[in-house]
Amino acid sequence: PPTAAITSPAAGSTFPSGTLLQLRGTGSDPNGGTGLSYAWSSSLQGNLGAGAALDRVLVDGNHTLTLTVTKSNGMSTPVTRA
C-alpha cells in the first residue's frame, strides 16, 4: 500500500471561526509506482475534496481530518489528525 502523511495543519491546532485552512499531505508508493490520488474528509463535514493540497473553511467544531492516499491499483492508506 502507499504511505500517507498529513503535514498541515499540525495536530491539536485550533483556528478562529472562518479561517481558511491549508490542508497539506504527502504520499508515496514504496514500489516506485505513480498515479497516486488524494482525498480529504472531515468527521463533521464529510468529503472535503481531492488533491495533496486543499484550502477549505470548515464549520466550527472539533474535526478529525482524514487523508486517504490511493494507488492506481486501488490500494489505499488513510491517515487521521485531530
Side-chain angles (χ1 to χ4, degrees):
T3 62
I6 295 174
T7 58
S8 178
S13 296
T14 59
F15 302 92
S17 181
T19 299
L20 181 65
L21 299 181
Q22 295 183 336
L23 308 178
R24 302 292 184 262
T26 61
S28 65
D29 182 348
N31 298 320
T34 59
L36 297 176
S37 63
Y38 302 80
W40 292 90
S41 63
S42 159
S43 59
L44 298 182
Q45 284 184 239
N47 181 38
L48 296 174
L54 192 66
D55 295 341
R56 287 287 181 268
V57 175
L58 303 181
V59 298
D60 292 348
N62 294 320
H63 294 258
T64 297
L65 298 173
T66 300
L67 170 64
T68 302
V69 178
T70 304
K71 291 174 53 166
S72 57
N73 68 2
M75 294 181 74
S76 64
T77 301
V79 62
T80 60
R81 175 159 294 170

